[in-house]
Amino acid sequence: MRKAKILLLLMAALLLGCASDNLDLEEEAPNQVLMLKVDYETNTFEGGTEFKFPTQTTSFTIENEYVPPGDFGSVKLIYKELGESLFFGTIHWMGTGEMTFPEKLEPAHSFKHVDTYDLRYPSGYEDVFNPDNRELDYKKAWLSVQGLVKAREYLAANPNQKAKMFLYTPSVGAGNPKDWYWVIYMKK
């Protein structure tokens, strides 16, 4: 009976050891993309998420698939090199659409901030979706996320990158800017 218990404990330890290897996503995901959401009117950081991909790429291109809102439209953003979705949201004419992918974001309070007041910037900004060719001020939105520990990690890992941004407007026509928000992407 005692040998069976010892054998059972050894097998459990072996299984737990194998399972813990699978929990280290940093090791398994050499390619990571950070998505951050910032309110359009207040430039307040509202949350974000990290995408983790097992395949590394040398470039990071975001392409969009846009369905103009006759009544109902949508925008989908795709990590071109991998064919992976990064965003999907509906757009309503005289109504309000919604982001359906990713399904949920981590709340702003779950992101740590640096303890310094120095400013960090990407090498520039790249608008990945702007169907109306609006004149947009990216710096205000960037300033609300540049102090996040995660944003600094991504800048340090890829210092020459441009922040890839777009203004999601789920309401158009007589749309309400209170519904709009910035989406910012960075690659590690």
Side-chain angles (χ1 to χ4, degrees), residues 33-36 59-63 77-81 86 122-129 138 142 158 160-167 182-187:
V33 173
L34 180 64
M35 174 186 167
L36 303 171
S59 58
F60 177 45
T61 309
I62 297 178
E63 59 183 10
L77 300 181
I78 302 159
Y79 187 160
K80 181 181 176 183
E81 289 80 0
L86 296 173
S123 67
Y125 307 97
E126 179 183 332
D127 196 329
V128 295
F129 177 70
Y138 306 107
W142 175 256
N158 191 357
N160 296 322
Q161 73 178 304
K162 290 183 177 182
K164 297 181 183 299
M165 303 176 70
F166 88 102
L167 178 60
W182 293 101
V183 179
I184 302 169
Y185 294 97
M186 300 173 68
K187 181 184 183 300

Side-chain angles (χ1 to χ4, degrees), residues 62-100:
I62 297 178
E63 59 183 10
N64 67 70
E65 293 178 359
Y66 176 53
V67 176
D71 283 323
F72 303 98
S74 63
V75 60
K76 180 178 184 178
L77 300 181
I78 302 159
Y79 187 160
K80 181 181 176 183
E81 289 80 0
L82 297 177
E84 295 281 351
S85 292
L86 296 173
F87 181 90
F88 184 83
T90 56
I91 304 168
H92 292 188
W93 189 268
M94 305 298 282
T96 305
E98 66 178 323
M99 176 181 73
T100 59

Side-chain angles (χ1 to χ4, degrees), residues 93-114:
W93 189 268
M94 305 298 282
T96 305
E98 66 178 323
M99 176 181 73
T100 59
F101 184 83
E103 289 182 27
K104 108 179 188 163
L105 301 176
E106 295 300 318
H109 66 81
S110 66
F111 286 79
K112 294 179 183 171
H113 289 265
V114 295

Side-chain angles (χ1 to χ4, degrees), residues 16-31:
L16 286 173
C18 291
S20 68
D21 288 344
N22 292 333
L23 295 176
D24 189 4
L25 293 177
E26 293 286 327
E27 292 296 320
E28 291 182 37
N31 190 354

